[in-house]
């Protein structure tokens, strides 16, 4: 016998019944975007490598260590998309969406690829639901985007998460703050690897979790205390609007995002039940990204919510978006009743009930076993004698009650009991 082949390392698969929850999560989040007037964008799964180097930033781990890059048959360097924002910007510029009504509001969902060390909640093929809103620096847009994600998580039934918020300043105020931080870090007792990290991006040192580093960082200068007037006013307006929307948040002035394009408002949804991979989703403003990629000077804001982690969070909290079970009715035909039963199955489906049936000649006992395993709350048995009498036996799997119902009335009967 030849050996079996397994899925590549770090690539999750979602099979029934979890896959139904998976779809419900994606659709619940997408509904919020549709309600807020965001249009769907379907993007390529690979792009020119230069897009990510310019868009996401060469100094980030995502670009420098985690990209799946390959050369195609024409000698071009291509990369499996590690994130969605750069691709959306490329497409908006290429198709001139930025010349029309602003802001351009788009949502997307699908797989992204990062060559990370796999563990629970951290995968090499990850899935995100994301939105991008381009062409307005109105703080109302920040509040809209953030609130949309929060409502989506609440609609899923999640409660064990918090929204962390900060501002990373802009091209005006960040350089001066960065110089202050570099000076502060130079006076600390840090190992060579940490010094190197500080050289590439000093802000990232603030996020170091090691106690001996954290202890030295207690008095580190924070961006929030050094915002220019315009960034401070923007941040105050976003906070006020979030409070108006009833979107709870906590300020985390030491938040560090893994991508270079962020400016001003930055946020993360953090779930305490997910262990090390606690980031449910995150996003922020990226006011220089469009022009960096050759487009107009337009600002934007968006987020990416990890769908794999949303599913884990639902499992941890014991919530099942999309309801229980995959079926409403299971039909068991016996002997000569098979043809009438197949008709009934079609009628039940046409009436909107999720219906399956027993296949093959297995007799009542075997077929009832399948009915039980199907998880359907109602089972309809039709045997030859039922057919002669013009009835079907409708059984509730919860209570065990069974009653004969006229074949002509069985669809209406099931529709009404399934709705209760
Ligand atoms: P990100 O923070 O890199 O942002 O990813 C967003 C979310 O994707 C994370 O919070 C996490 O839930 C999920 N995620 C990331 N990496 C993995 C992984 N290896 N395994 C499982 N889940 C993962 C972005 O990608 C930005 N494009 C978001 C954005 C949009 N910012 C503005 N617009």
């Amino acid at each position: 016998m030849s050996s079996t082949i397994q899925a590549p390392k770090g690539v999750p698969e979602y099979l029934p019944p979890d896959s139904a929850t998976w779809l419900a999560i994606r659709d619940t989040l997408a509904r919020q975007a549709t309600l807020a007037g965001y249009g769907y964008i379907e993007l390529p799964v690979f792009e020119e490598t230069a897009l990510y180097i310019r868009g996401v930033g060469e100094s980030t781990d995502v670009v420098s260590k985690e990209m799946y890059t390959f050369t195609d048959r024409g000698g071009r360097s291509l990369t499996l998309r590690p994130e969605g924002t750069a691709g959306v910007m490329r497409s908006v510029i290429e198709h001139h969406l930025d010349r029309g009504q602003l802001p351009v509001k788009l949502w997307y969902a699908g797989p992204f690829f990062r060559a990370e060390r796999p563990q629970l909640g951290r995968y090499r093929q990850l899935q995100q639901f994301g939105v991008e809103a381009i062409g307005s620096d109105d703080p109302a847009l920040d509040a809209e985007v953030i609130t949309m994600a929060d409502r989506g998580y609440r609609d899923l039934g999640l409660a064990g998460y918090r929204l962390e918020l900060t501002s990373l300043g802009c091209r005006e105020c960040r350089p001066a703050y960065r110089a202050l931080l570099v000076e502060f870090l130079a006076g600390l007792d840090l190992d060579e690897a940490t010094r190197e990290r500080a050289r590439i991006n000093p802000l990232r040192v603030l996020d170091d979790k090691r106690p001996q580093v954290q202890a030295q960082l207690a008095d580190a200068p924070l961006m929030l205390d050094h915002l220019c007037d315009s960034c401070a006013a923007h941040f105050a307006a976003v906070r006020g609007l979030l409070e108006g929307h009833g979107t709870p948040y906590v300020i985390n002035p030491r938040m560090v995002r893994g991508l270079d394009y962020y400016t001003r408002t930055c946020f993360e949804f953090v779930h305490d039940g997910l262990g090390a991979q606690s980031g449910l989703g995150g996003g922020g403003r990226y006011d220089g990204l469009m022009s960096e990629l050759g487009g107009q000077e337009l600002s934007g804001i968006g987020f990416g919510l990890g769908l794999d982690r949303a599913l884990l969070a639902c499992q941890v909290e014991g919530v099942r978006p999309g309801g229980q079970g995959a079926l409403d009715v299971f039909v068991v035909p016996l002997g000569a009743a098979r043809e009438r039963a197949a008709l009934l199955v079609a009628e039940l489906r046409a009436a909107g009930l999720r219906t399956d049936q027993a296949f093959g000649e297995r007799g009542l006992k075997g077929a009832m076993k399948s009915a039980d395993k199907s998880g359907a709350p109602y089972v309809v048995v039709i045997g030859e004698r039922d057919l002669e009498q013009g009835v079907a036996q409708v059984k509730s799997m919860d209570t065990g009650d069974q009653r004969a119902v006229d074949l002509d009335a069985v669809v209406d009967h099931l529709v009404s009991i399934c709705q209760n």
Side-chain angles (χ1 to χ4, degrees):
M1 212 165 70
S2 43
S3 59
T4 56
I5 297 172
Q6 295 183 338
K9 207 173 155 210
V11 173
E13 297 176 284
Y14 299 109
L15 314 175
D18 286 350
S19 53
T21 312
W22 169 268
L23 287 177
I25 290 173
R26 193 196 56 195
D27 295 348
T28 303
L29 297 174
R31 187 177 137 70
Q32 287 298 325
T34 307
L35 283 174
Y38 287 66
Y40 177 68
I41 181 166
E42 177 75 38
L43 291 163
V45 170
F46 55 85
E47 296 265 10
E48 262 184 53
T49 303
L51 174 67
Y52 301 113
I53 293 177
R54 268 163 72 186
V56 178
E58 219 161 350
S59 74
T60 61
D61 283 355
V62 169
V63 169
S64 65
K65 301 186 192 151
E66 297 169 0
M67 291 210 298
Y68 282 101
T69 297
F70 60 98
T71 307
D72 76 359
R73 284 160 203 265
R76 287 166 287 255
S77 178
L78 299 171
T79 294
L80 295 185
R81 59 183 188 184
E83 63 94 56
T85 313
V88 171
M89 293 306 120
R90 197 263 314 133
S91 186
V92 164
I93 298 168
E94 187 170 337
H95 301 291
H96 310 298
L97 299 190
D98 53 329
R99 311 270 167 192
Q101 163 102 334
L102 296 178
V104 180
K105 305 210 288 189
L106 300 165
W107 72 270
Y108 53 89
F112 297 88
F113 305 88
R114 297 182 187 179
E116 297 199 77
R117 212 158 29 82
Q119 64 178 83
L120 185 73
R122 185 167 67 199
Y123 306 118
R124 292 183 171 168
Q125 176 176 302
L126 59 121
Q127 303 242 7
Q128 283 184 11
F129 162 77
V131 308
E132 312 295 345
I134 305 136
S136 169
D137 44 24
D138 189 333
L141 195 58
D142 305 43
E144 170 178 291
V145 163
I146 296 170
T147 298
M148 201 190 325
D150 182 58
R151 291 288 180 280
Y153 286 137
R154 280 200 227 171
D155 282 356
L156 292 178
L158 292 177
Y161 68 90
R162 68 179 174 279
L163 163 61
E164 297 188 351
L165 186 71
T166 194
S167 172
L168 294 182
C170 66
R171 245 170 281 186
E172 301 300 318
C173 49
R174 194 149 31 160
Y177 163 70
R178 192 184 155 113
L180 260 181
L181 183 62
V182 166
E183 199 185 307
F184 174 85
L185 293 175
L188 302 185
D189 175 24
L190 300 172
D191 57 90
E192 196 38 48
T194 312
R195 290 209 171 283
E196 182 55 27
R197 284 212 300 153
R199 267 191 290 277
I200 298 170
N201 183 351
L203 281 130
R204 252 188 251 165
V205 178
L206 289 181
D207 196 33
D208 199 310
K209 302 278 186 289
R210 291 170 298 177
Q212 72 274 24
V213 180
Q214 270 307 320
Q216 299 188 64
L217 290 172
D219 298 326
L222 297 173
M223 183 72 241
L224 274 189
D225 299 324
H226 297 272
L227 295 177
C228 61
D229 289 349
S230 132
C231 284
H234 184 93
F235 193 52
V238 173
R239 291 182 60 173
L241 286 158
L242 286 177
E243 280 149 30
H245 282 310
T247 306
Y249 64 86
V250 292
I251 299 290
N252 175 4
R254 288 162 188 256
M255 185 192 306
V256 177
R257 304 273 302 130
L259 311 165
D260 271 357
Y261 46 62
Y262 291 112
T263 52
R264 290 195 161 178
T265 314
C266 255
F267 55 94
E268 254 170 16
F269 290 88
V270 182
H271 197 287
D272 286 328
L274 297 186
Q277 304 308 314
S278 60
L280 261 190
R285 277 203 165 268
Y286 40 82
D287 289 350
L289 184 56
M290 273 279 272
S291 54
E292 183 62 40
L293 293 174
Q296 303 185 69
E297 269 295 334
L298 289 178
S299 55
I301 178 162
F303 61 61
L305 311 182
L307 293 173
D308 310 271
R309 293 186 192 170
L311 179 64
L312 286 172
C314 287
Q315 288 163 347
V316 165
E317 291 197 32
V319 294
R320 282 195 72 126
Q324 302 286 332
L327 285 178
D328 301 307
V329 183
F330 193 88
V331 176
V332 173
L334 298 171
R338 306 199 76 78
E339 245 174 68
R340 181 63 186 89
L343 205 65
L344 177 65
V345 168
E347 287 167 355
L348 288 166
R349 288 176 185 163
L353 295 181
R354 299 169 303 169
T355 308
D356 200 358
Q357 68 162 87
F359 291 102
E361 298 278 357
R362 271 180 304 167
L364 183 61
K365 213 165 152 207
M368 284 311 283
K369 243 189 212 157
S370 305
D372 203 29
K373 278 200 190 132
S374 80
Y378 295 100
V379 174
V380 180
V381 182
I382 315 184
E384 279 177 41
R385 198 176 316 146
D386 298 312
L387 204 56
E388 281 163 23
Q389 294 171 4
V391 297
Q393 305 295 329
V394 176
K395 180 173 181 183
S396 160
M397 298 303 271
D398 285 343
T399 62
D401 280 355
Q402 184 171 321
R403 54 186 278 203
V405 178
D406 271 355
L407 260 176
D408 293 342
V410 78
V411 173
D412 288 347
H413 175 70
L414 281 162
V415 167
S416 86
I417 55 178
C418 285
Q419 274 164 358
N420 284 325

